[in-house]
Amino acid sequence: MVILAQNWAQAFMAANPGKVIQVSGGGSGTGMAALINGTADLANASRPIKDKERKQLAKRRDVEVEEFRVALDALAVYVPASNKIESLTIPQLKSIFRGQTTNWKDVGGEDKSIVLYSRENSSGTYAYFKEHVLEDEDFAATAQTLPGTAAVINAVSKDAGGIGYGGIAYAEGVRTVKVAPADGEPVEPTMENATSGKYPLSRFLKIYSAGKASGIAKEYLDYVLSDDGQKIVEGVGYYPLPKEATAAAE
Amino acid sequence: MRYTSKDWLLAGLTGVSLAVILLLLAVLLGQIVWHGAPVISAEFLSQSPGADMVSGGIWPAIYGTVFMTLLMTIAGVPVGIATAIYLTEYASPRSRIAKIVRIAVNNLAGVPSIVFGLFGLGFFIIFVGGSMDALLYDDTTPVWGKPSILWASLTLAVLTLPVVIVTTEEALRTVPQEFRDASLALGATRFQTVYKIVLPNARGGILTGVILAVSRGAGEVAPIIFCGAANFLPYLPTDLRDMFMHLGYHVYALATQSPNVDAARPTLFGTVLVLLVLTFSLNLLAVIIRARSRASLRS
Amino acid sequence: MTERVLEASERTRAAKTRQRISVRPQSAKSKLAGSFHTPLWHRVAERLIAILALAAVLAIALIFVFIAREAVPMLWEAEFAEEVQIRDLFFAKEWKGYDEPVFIWQPVGEPAKFNVVPLFIGSLKVTLLAMLMSVPLGVGCAMFIALYAPRAVREVVKPVIELLAGIPSVVLGFFALMVLASWAQATFGFHFRLNAFVAAIGLALTIVPVIFTISEDAIQAVPSTLTEAALALGARKYQVALRVVLPAAIPGIAAGVVLGFGRAIGETMIVLMASGNAAIMELFDFSTSVRTVTATIAAELGEVAQGDPHWRVLFLLGVMLFGVTFVLNILGDLFIQRLQKRLTAS
C-alpha cells in the first residue's frame, strides 16, 4: 500500500503547494505503531485495527481511532508464469502455506517442490492471509519472509516452484491463480468479483487517524476519497471504492 | 632462493585466495558500474523521485545523506579529537582512566550497527526527545521524541567516534617527540604545545580520520532505519526535526519494496553507483591526504 | 623490536579501528610540563578535553543501559506476562496444533510465539559459514602478500582491500540479493534462491578485510631474526612460512578471527536482504533460508508499539547481541595483547 500512499501524497502535494505529506514504508503494523507512538497522523493499513492497538491508542494518546475505507483490494495468489496451475481452493492454500502440501503435483500441478514466499509479519497482508487462509495457524517455518510485496513478486517470478501472495496491484511478471472458497467455484481476482464480494480474499484498504482528522490530514483524506484520489487508486492497480462503501464511510 | 615444488604449491594456494577476493570485488564493481553508469544523468542527480520511486532522480537522497553526515561530523569529530588528544598528550600510559577509555573505544568499534539503531531509538528519541517534549510541550503529539535527521546524525556520531579517535591518535603519534620537547623547553605550556605544535603538524592525519569516519557514517543504514530515514520524501529536510531520504536506505527500500523490481533495477544500480562513488571518493581523498601529510612530516 | 611492530601498525592506520597492533610509545609527559604559569582558559580547555575523553566510556554505558531499559520491564509488567511467558523465550513448547515441543518465532498471531533460539541458530549458522569462507581467504591472502608477493603487487593489493572494507554493507547486501543469489541458484540449483550460503558470501566480503589486515600485520611483525635463523639452518621457505611465521603470528590471526566473527554476527543489512529470513531450526544445511537476530530486529522493530511485549523481546535480542559482541571484543583484545607480549619478549 506504500506505493498508493506515495502516489496520493505526491498528487496531493502537487495540488496543494506548501503542504507536505511524509510517507514512511513498512507494513500495516508499522503504521499502527507510528500512530500509537504519535509519530504519524494517519496510518494506512490493509487490515482492520486490532483491539490491542485500539486500547494502546486510548491509553497512550487518549484518543479514539477513526477509520476510513479508502480502496478495495483483492489479495492475489501469485505463481510464476511457467506454472500452469489454474486454481487453488482455500483449504489447499492453507495446506500449502502450513507446509503440509510440499509438491505441486498434490494440488494438480507438475512434479515440483513448492517454495513458499510470505510477507514480513508487520504486514497487514500477512495478518489477513494468516487469519483468512491459515485460520490463525502458523505459517510453515520454511516460508521465506520478504519485506515487501514487490520482493515477493520478484522472488516468485524467478522461482519455478514458487508461490506467494499480495495485493493485486503488484501482480506484474507473475500469474495470479483463481481462488475457490472451501465449497465453491474458482473465482478470478478481478475488480468485478472483488466489488461484489465473490472473490474470497477481497478486502478494504484503510486509513486510520488518531482522533478526528484535522488540518492537512483532513484535507488529505478528503482528497483520497475524492474522484481524483480514487482515480489514482486505479492507476496504481488497486480497485476504487464501490460507491456505497464511500457513502458508508462518511 | 630456489623454490621447491612445495613452495610453489603454498604460493599458489595463497595466491588463489587473493585471486578469489579480487575476482569477487571486480565482479561487484563491474556489475555496478556497467548497469549503473547509463542511468546517471543530470536529471537523475538533480530531481526528486516520482511517486513510483523509480522514475525521476535521487536528489533528496543525496542531499539527505550529505546533510546527515555533516551534522554527524559536527557532533562527533570534536569529541573524538579531544579523546585522542587526551590519550596521547595528557594521559600517562599506565593511567587507569586511559586504559578504560581505550577498552571502551575498542568495544564501541565492535558494537553491531543495529544495536546503535536500538540505542538511538531508546536513548535519543525516547529518552532525550521524550523528555524534551515533556518539559517543553503539553500536547501529547511528539515534537522531538520522534525519528528525525538530528537523532539519526547523533546516533551515527557515536558510531563513528572510534574511527575518529583511533586515526587521530595515530596522527598525533607521528608528530616527533622532539617537537613537543622543544616547545616545552621554550617555555610553552602543555596546552600551547598541543594547540600550536602538535595539532598543526598532525592536521593531515586528523583530516584523514575525519574523512574516513564520514565515509563510514555515510554508508551505514541499519542504525538509521528507526532513527529518521524516510522511504519517500520528495522534499528536502529543512529542520532538524524532519525525516530525510538517504542513499543507502533508498537502495534497501528500492531493492525490497518497490512495486516492480525489474523496472526498479536501473534506478537501483544508479543509486548504488552514486553511493559507492561518494564513499570511494572520500576514501581516496583520505588516502591522498594521508600520503601527503606523511611525506611532509618526513621531509 | 618495538619500532618494527610500530612500523607494522603505521601501515594499517586505515579506517578499521581495531586493526592495529601497536606498542605504546614513550609517554609524552615531560618533566618540564606544568612548571610555568598557565592561563585560565588553557586549564579550562584541558579540563574539557579530559571530560570529553570520557565520551566513549559514557557511550558504551548508555548503550547498555538504554537498550536494557526497554527490555527489562518484561520481568514485572502485567501486559507482558499476559501474552508471553519468559521461559518460552528460550525453551521449546508444545503449542496448540503441534504434536511435539517446538522452537518457534512467530511474533504476530494468537498466541504470539517468541522463541529466540531459531534466531540465534540462524545468526550462528550464517556467521560460521561466512567464517569458513573468509578465514582461509583472509589468512591465505595475508600470507601471500607478506611472504610471496612482489613489492609492486603488495602496494596495489593493500589499498584495494581497504577499498573493499570501505564498501557500505547495504551495497554488499544489494550485490548478494541481485547478482550472487541468481548466480548461486543457477550454478548449484538451490531450492531457496535466498539462503544462508548467499548471505554468507556477502558477509565474507565484509570480514575478509578485517581478517586480512590483522593477520598481515601479525605476519609482518614476526621478527626477521626468527625467519633468518630458520633459513640459515637450511629450512625451505614454505617450512619457514608454515612452521615459524604462522605459529608466531597465531595470536594475531586468532584476534582477526574473533573480531571478524563479532563483525559478522552483528552485520545487519546483508543478511536482511539476502538470507531469505525464514526462521528455520537447522544448523547444518546451508542451502536453506535463515533469519538472524539482527535482521529480525531491523525488520520488526519499526512496526511495534513502544512497550508492547514484542517491543521488549526485540530489545532483549539487542541486549543479548550486545553482550555477545562485547565478549568477543574483549577476547580479541586479549589475543592482540598476547601477541604484543610474545613479540616484544622475543
Side-chain angles (χ1 to χ4, degrees):
Chain A
M1 215 182 151
V2 175
I3 189 71
L4 181 56
Q6 278 166 6
N7 277 280
W8 274 330
Q10 199 171 42
F12 175 78
M13 288 189 280
N16 302 276
K19 291 179 180 157
V20 177
I21 305 280
Q22 282 185 11
V23 179
S24 291
S28 299
T30 314
M32 289 300 179
L35 202 63
I36 293 165
N37 296 340
T39 54
D41 300 312
L42 299 173
N44 297 310
S46 54
R47 60 160 170 83
I49 188 168
K50 297 178 193 158
D51 273 350
K52 189 169 126 191
E53 288 164 342
R54 214 180 269 278
K55 272 187 217 143
Q56 283 171 332
L57 250 172
K59 195 173 120 196
R60 195 74 54 77
R61 295 184 67 188
D62 195 24
V63 287
E64 282 290 313
V65 75
E66 210 182 345
E67 179 186 297
F68 301 88
R69 291 174 166 186
V70 292
L72 185 65
D73 181 28
L75 199 146
V77 175
Y78 319 123
V79 293
S82 61
N83 190 330
K84 297 289 172 248
I85 195 144
E86 274 292 308
S87 68
L88 290 166
T89 65
I90 299 273
Q92 278 174 333
L93 279 173
K94 177 178 176 184
S95 165
I96 289 173
F97 277 93
R98 287 280 291 119
Q100 288 150 347
T101 301
T102 56
N103 196 304
W104 282 108
K105 71 171 190 251
D106 296 332
V107 289
E110 353 172 0
D111 182 9
K112 197 162 204 67
S113 62
I114 299 178
V115 184
L116 303 175
Y117 292 98
S118 175
R119 284 289 313 280
E120 205 39 83
N121 53 42
S122 62
S123 117
T125 313
Y126 171 97
Y128 181 91
F129 200 82
K130 191 165 174 170
E131 189 185 334
H132 289 88
V133 178
L134 300 189
E135 294 167 319
D136 265 335
E137 289 179 37
D138 290 330
F139 279 94
T142 48
Q144 303 189 52
T145 59
L146 304 176
T149 300
V152 171
I153 297 275
N154 186 38
V156 169
S157 70
K158 291 196 167 73
D159 193 328
I163 183 167
Y165 60 89
I168 185 73
Y170 289 83
E172 243 173 85
V174 289
R175 268 188 59 232
T176 57
V177 294
K178 293 181 190 165
V179 177
D183 47 1
E185 290 298 302
V187 185
E188 228 175 308
T190 58
M191 169 144 68
E192 254 177 15
N193 291 334
T195 313
S196 69
K198 251 173 84 188
Y199 184 70
L201 299 176
S202 54
R203 55 180 179 164
F204 287 104
L205 302 179
K206 294 172 178 138
I207 292 185
Y208 288 93
S209 108
K212 274 250 167 290
S214 59
I216 297 186
K218 176 87 180 91
E219 288 173 40
Y220 174 73
L221 269 169
D222 288 342
Y223 177 78
V224 162
L225 294 171
S226 71
D227 287 348
D228 286 345
Q230 291 296 307
K231 234 174 240 143
I232 289 174
V233 172
E234 237 174 318
V236 173
Y238 290 109
Y239 303 137
L241 288 173
K243 284 286 171 274
E244 61 273 29
T246 328
E250 276 162 7
Chain B
M1 188 191 337
R2 217 167 52 78
Y3 279 15
T4 64
S5 57
K6 281 186 183 158
D7 267 319
W8 286 113
L9 186 67
L10 188 63
L13 278 179
T14 54
V16 164
S17 47
L18 175 63
V20 169
I21 293 170
L22 294 183
L23 180 77
L24 270 171
L25 188 63
V27 171
L28 177 120
L29 297 181
Q31 286 271 344
I32 290 169
V33 173
W34 181 257
H35 293 291
V39 184
I40 308 291
S41 65
E43 291 82 50
F44 185 71
L45 296 178
S46 64
Q47 284 181 356
S48 286
D52 56 357
M53 306 263 283
V54 172
S55 61
I58 56 168
W59 170 240
I62 299 176
Y63 182 89
T65 308
V66 172
F67 189 7
M68 179 204 74
T69 343
L70 209 66
L71 284 177
M72 171 195 94
T73 314
I74 294 169
V77 165
V79 180
I81 294 179
T83 307
I85 292 176
Y86 176 79
L87 287 176
T88 45
E89 307 298 321
Y90 287 99
S92 92
R94 304 208 190 295
S95 127
R96 183 167 295 163
I97 294 179
K99 211 174 247 173
I100 293 174
V101 171
R102 237 173 260 282
I103 291 176
V105 171
N106 279 349
N107 267 294
L108 201 56
V111 172
S113 53
I114 189 74
V115 173
F116 279 101
L118 293 177
F119 167 66
L121 185 58
F123 179 66
F124 287 122
I125 296 180
I126 297 180
F127 181 71
V128 180
S131 309
M132 284 167 73
D133 282 342
L135 283 176
L136 300 173
Y137 307 95
D138 295 330
D139 201 1
T140 48
T141 311
V143 178
W144 293 99
K146 62 186 175 63
S148 68
I149 194 165
L150 174 68
W151 302 135
S153 308
L154 291 183
T155 305
L156 284 179
V158 181
L159 184 145
T160 50
L161 195 58
V163 182
V164 181
I165 295 174
V166 171
T167 37
T168 306
E169 225 190 310
E170 286 182 2
L172 296 177
R173 290 246 179 81
T174 56
V175 178
Q177 183 61 30
E178 294 80 10
F179 286 22
R180 297 184 181 86
D181 291 343
S183 161
L184 292 169
L186 288 171
T189 64
R190 173 152 298 278
F191 185 73
Q192 282 169 330
T193 307
V194 169
Y195 184 65
K196 295 254 166 74
I197 305 295
V198 180
L199 283 184
N201 275 300
R203 208 172 41 206
I206 295 173
L207 200 56
T208 309
V210 172
I211 294 171
L212 286 174
V214 166
S215 139
R216 167 93 195 276
E220 281 287 348
V221 178
I224 61 169
I225 296 180
F226 334 112
C227 293
N231 250 42
F232 177 70
L233 193 63
Y235 289 83
L236 304 178
T238 50
D239 189 300
L240 290 181
R241 291 166 297 189
D242 284 345
M243 289 178 80
F244 63 106
M245 288 187 82
H246 179 272
L247 282 171
Y249 187 79
H250 197 58
V251 170
Y252 166 65
L254 270 182
T256 55
Q257 290 166 27
S258 67
N260 183 342
V261 174
D262 285 322
R265 261 182 96 91
T267 317
L268 197 44
F269 273 102
T271 312
V272 170
L273 182 61
V274 172
L275 178 61
L276 264 191
V277 168
L278 193 74
T279 49
F280 277 4
S281 51
L282 283 170
N283 277 316
L284 195 68
L285 192 65
V287 169
I288 293 170
I289 294 178
R290 184 166 74 201
R292 274 210 185 155
S293 71
R294 243 187 249 172
S296 76
L297 261 182
R298 228 165 257 150
S299 61
Chain C
M1 183 56 244
T2 313
E3 286 144 18
R4 175 88 211 233
V5 178
L6 263 180
E7 198 187 311
S9 96
E10 257 198 47
R11 267 186 237 117
T12 45
R13 60 187 56 240
K16 295 304 165 260
T17 328
R18 5 257 306 350
Q19 298 160 11
R20 163 175 71 94
I21 297 163
S22 64
V23 173
R24 293 262 323 143
Q26 294 294 301
S27 159
K29 203 156 240 168
S30 151
K31 302 264 163 3
L32 289 169
S35 57
F36 301 96
H37 175 71
T38 40
L40 178 67
W41 81 274
H42 287 188
R43 270 177 290 163
V44 172
E46 287 178 329
R47 187 54 57 84
L48 194 65
I49 285 174
I51 291 170
L52 287 179
L54 295 175
V57 183
L58 186 71
I60 281 282
L62 286 180
I63 289 174
F64 181 73
V65 168
F66 277 89
I67 55 176
R69 193 178 92 124
E70 298 296 328
V72 171
M74 67 167 62
L75 294 175
W76 58 80
E77 261 182 3
E79 192 192 345
F80 191 88
E82 266 169 40
E83 237 185 272
V84 196
Q85 280 179 313
I86 289 188
R87 61 175 300 275
D88 295 342
L89 297 178
F90 306 100
F91 299 102
K93 175 165 175 172
E94 196 175 322
W95 295 97
K96 197 171 135 276
Y98 291 87
D99 32 1
E100 55 176 353
V102 281
F103 298 94
I104 292 189
W105 178 266
Q106 291 257 4
V108 174
E110 294 290 330
K113 305 178 183 74
F114 298 102
N115 195 295
V116 303
V117 175
L119 307 180
F120 276 93
I121 298 264
S123 279
L124 202 61
K125 178 165 144 183
V126 75
T127 303
L128 286 176
L129 198 55
M131 298 305 288
L132 280 181
M133 297 175 189
S134 54
V135 171
L137 284 180
V139 175
C141 207
M143 284 177 68
F144 182 77
I145 291 298
L147 301 173
Y148 292 106
R151 206 183 148 77
V153 173
R154 189 181 311 168
E155 297 291 310
V156 176
V157 167
K158 295 197 68 169
V160 168
I161 300 232
E162 278 185 26
L163 196 74
L164 181 60
I167 297 179
S169 66
V170 68
V171 174
L172 294 173
F174 160 81
F175 177 65
L177 170 75
M178 302 295 271
V179 182
L180 287 178
S182 302
W183 167 79
Q185 196 176 33
T187 314
F188 304 108
F190 287 137
H191 178 69
F192 297 106
R193 180 170 169 271
L194 298 179
N195 54 44
F197 180 76
V198 172
I201 299 180
L203 278 186
L205 284 174
T206 61
I207 48 181
V208 157
V210 178
I211 294 177
F212 168 79
T213 314
I214 304 184
S215 305
E216 209 259 351
D217 265 4
I219 292 172
Q220 293 282 5
V222 172
S224 55
T225 45
L226 278 184
T227 50
E228 279 156 16
L231 288 171
L233 289 172
R236 294 276 172 207
K237 181 134 187 173
Y238 77 90
Q239 290 172 319
V240 176
L242 293 179
R243 307 238 182 103
V244 178
V245 176
L246 210 51
I250 275 291
I253 294 169
V257 171
V258 169
L259 296 176
F261 191 93
R263 176 72 69 81
I265 207 160
E267 174 47 55
T268 307
M269 295 316 288
I270 296 172
V271 285
L272 179 61
M273 293 169 86
S275 72
N277 291 325
I280 303 173
M281 280 288 288
E282 219 297 324
L283 189 53
F284 298 105
D285 181 357
F286 59 76
S287 70
T288 61
S289 290
V290 290
R291 187 179 187 88
T292 66
V293 175
T294 51
T296 303
I297 299 175
E300 297 178 9
L301 188 68
E303 76 216 22
V304 291
Q306 272 171 37
D308 191 84
H310 191 180
W311 166 279
R312 302 250 180 265
V313 175
L314 291 176
F315 272 89
L316 176 72
L317 286 176
V319 173
M320 292 166 80
L321 191 62
F322 180 81
V324 168
T325 49
F326 193 85
V327 170
L328 288 172
N329 281 318
I330 300 274
L331 211 62
D333 273 359
L334 284 181
F335 279 126
I336 288 183
Q337 276 171 22
R338 178 184 283 189
L339 175 73
Q340 282 167 3
K341 228 176 245 162
R342 190 187 279 200
L343 291 175
T344 40
S346 59

